Amino acid sequence: MRDLVAVKAALRQQRIELPSWAFGNTGTRFKVFTQPGVPRDAYEKVADAATVHRFTGVAPSVALHIPWDAVDDYAHLAKHADDLGVQVGTINANVFQDDDYKLGSVCNPDPRVRRKALDHLLACVEVMDATGSRDLKLWFADGTNYPGQDSIRARQERLAEALAAVYQRLGPEQRLLLEYKLFEPAFYATDVPDWGTALLHCQALGDRAKVVVDTGHHAPGTNIEMIVALLLRAGKLGGFDFNSRFYADDDLMVGAADPFQLFRIMHEVVRGGGYAPQGEIAFMLDQCHNIEPKIPAQIRSVMNVQEATAKALLVSAAALAGMQLAGDVLGANAVLMDAYATDVRPLLAELREEQGLDPDPVAAYHRSGYGERIVAERVGGTQAGWDA
Ligand code: RM4
Ligand code: MN
């Protein structure tokens, strides 16, 4: 698609979901550095997300993490979001931060702990009912650290049982998104370590169970775009948790470590018919801004996804197919690289201006005074973070 009008129209429709936890304090196991102005609760996180949307125009929803974002009245929180021009998006369950979960949550050998974990997942579906969320995103820290510690097979059975119970509880418009991760916190055998395991479980569940690809959750060197292509082909790609990594699950800004990989992923999404703005695939960020200011980092991340998407949309499908059919190895590669080498920033700046936005969202945010205001206003209370 080299028709710039069509590319711009496609970009105008883009939707990127922000993670509430990106606005809270985060760090590594060595230290969580706090920042002034960080939200104290879900309402303030939603306000920060709405600010990112105000300057980018393509981030109209914010994912919640329960219980980090627990509130008394979820419908009220959804109304607050709506008042600020955004929506509550995906609900993320958290069954990894309780002492009971030392040996796992839904895969735990103890049926009492499994029941507790399942009850939390079901409670998350209730939250979805109140907020109108479509997707429940499940990531399990479950796994074992030592060979022989537990039965790999039995843990899969327990997982399948819990997933089936959650799937049963979903409303007709709701989906279950299963996320995999190679390792950490489990160091020997993670119960959902890869896309194959996630896909097997989703296939057993049904149409509304799909796989989430978190770009930071693979072994080094994994060809992620190939996974994307295969899941798309199977109709099983539910969405992305975008972030970037140099070594492990670094959760850095998407497109920071490897913008070319992000482009290759978006190219497969576009080619596979996955780039339909109101469609099946949820484009989400899952990041932590440990040392950089959080709101501008989210704005930058959204822009990085936009840039990769614009380049992917610029790939001439006809030219590429022609080269591929002709067996022209270098020609085909050149078509892709031409699109990647295009500076799409002027195009995106133009698009923003057409939408009444500032062409430079980061600068506009800094000029807005929002950053100073939240530092002045958010005094006292307990800042949100991983354990809040
Ligand atoms: C996990 C996973 C989940 C995210 C949590 C915070 O590693 O990526 O998607 O919700 O971290
Ligand atoms: Mn994730």
Side-chain angles (χ1 to χ4, degrees):
M1 197 199 288
R2 293 223 70 113
D3 169 3
L4 286 188
V5 177
V7 169
K8 265 206 243 169
L11 289 169
R12 194 171 298 125
Q13 308 272 317
Q14 186 154 36
R15 298 284 174 267
I16 298 162
E17 184 162 298
L18 309 180
S20 69
W21 54 101
F23 302 100
N25 286 321
T26 51
T28 65
R29 60 186 155 143
F30 299 102
K31 170 74 180 162
V32 172
F33 296 103
T34 61
Q35 295 184 17
V38 155
R40 278 83 49 89
D41 59 23
Y43 286 83
E44 290 178 349
K45 291 182 198 174
V46 167
D48 288 0
T51 303
V52 174
H53 180 50
R54 184 150 66 91
F55 292 104
T56 60
V58 291
S61 64
V62 51
L64 301 185
H65 217 298
I66 310 296
W68 293 341
D69 295 321
V71 294
D72 292 335
D73 183 344
Y74 288 96
H76 185 261
L77 180 63
K79 166 84 171 56
H80 166 74
D82 199 56
D83 290 344
L84 296 173
V86 293
Q87 286 189 324
V88 172
T90 304
I91 301 300
N92 291 255
N94 183 329
V95 281
F96 52 85
Q97 278 190 316
D98 201 293
D99 282 338
D100 271 338
Y101 299 140
K102 185 167 79 174
L103 301 180
S105 62
V106 294
C107 302
N108 197 297
D110 182 346
R112 182 192 64 81
V113 178
R114 293 207 293 277
R115 181 71 241 177
K116 171 176 166 167
L118 177 58
D119 284 344
H120 174 71
L121 305 185
L122 297 173
C124 285
V125 183
E126 256 165 57
V127 173
M128 294 165 72
D129 291 341
T131 54
S133 300
R134 179 186 63 170
D135 293 339
L136 174 68
K137 174 141 63 74
L138 302 180
W139 172 73
F140 298 104
D142 291 52
T144 51
N145 273 6
Y146 294 97
Q149 179 191 321
D150 196 3
S151 158
I152 289 175
R153 171 84 182 248
R155 293 180 75 90
Q156 290 298 315
E157 300 296 345
R158 297 169 197 149
L159 174 63
E161 201 179 301
L163 291 174
V166 176
Y167 191 77
Q168 283 268 310
R169 167 64 183 82
L170 294 178
E173 306 298 325
Q174 293 172 337
R175 308 192 307 172
L176 182 160
L177 304 184
L178 183 57
E179 178 177 355
Y180 58 91
K181 176 173 166 175
L182 179 61
F183 82 101
E184 195 204 23
F187 293 123
Y188 164 58
T190 298
D191 292 315
V192 190
D194 54 25
W195 69 278
T197 310
L199 179 61
L200 283 176
H201 282 286
C202 288
Q203 276 172 338
L205 290 170
D207 281 351
R208 283 173 296 113
K210 310 246 183 205
V211 179
V212 167
V213 175
D214 182 313
T215 45
H217 286 188
H218 306 84
T222 299
N223 183 336
I224 299 175
E225 60 269 29
M226 179 146 182
I227 297 171
V228 169
L230 296 179
L231 286 174
L232 262 171
R233 179 173 180 270
K236 280 294 188 189
L237 181 62
F240 289 96
D241 266 5
F242 280 134
N243 51 60
S244 68
R245 50 79 71 88
F246 288 99
Y247 301 105
D249 188 20
D250 304 350
D251 279 337
L252 299 174
M253 292 190 298
V254 57
D258 191 347
F260 184 43
Q261 179 188 61
L262 182 60
F263 161 76
R264 299 193 310 265
I265 290 171
M266 288 311 300
H267 170 62
E268 287 307 327
V269 169
V270 170
R271 289 210 84 190
Y275 186 74
Q278 307 306 333
E280 290 274 280
I281 297 172
F283 298 93
M284 302 175 277
L285 305 182
D286 177 11
Q287 302 180 162
C288 296
H289 307 298
N290 300 347
I291 57 169
E292 66 274 31
K294 296 161 197 300
I295 297 171
Q298 284 283 292
I299 295 174
R300 181 73 253 170
S301 304
V302 167
M303 293 169 71
N304 287 353
V305 176
Q306 284 185 296
E307 286 172 23
T309 307
K311 291 177 185 206
L313 289 166
L314 280 174
V315 174
S316 166
L320 186 62
M323 298 293 184
Q324 290 174 344
L325 281 175
D328 188 338
V329 176
L330 293 179
N333 179 241
V335 172
L336 215 65
M337 296 312 291
D338 271 352
Y340 180 63
T342 309
D343 183 358
V344 293
R345 291 172 300 178
L347 178 80
L348 284 162
E350 210 176 278
L351 176 75
R352 291 186 188 109
E353 278 181 318
E354 286 168 16
Q355 291 177 286
L357 297 166
D358 194 288
D360 182 346
V362 174
Y365 167 74
H366 286 307
R367 275 199 314 275
S368 75
Y370 185 86
E372 289 80 7
R373 206 167 73 233
I374 55 176
V375 169
E377 284 175 7
R378 294 176 183 170
V379 178
T382 308
Q383 291 188 327
W386 275 347
D387 41 8

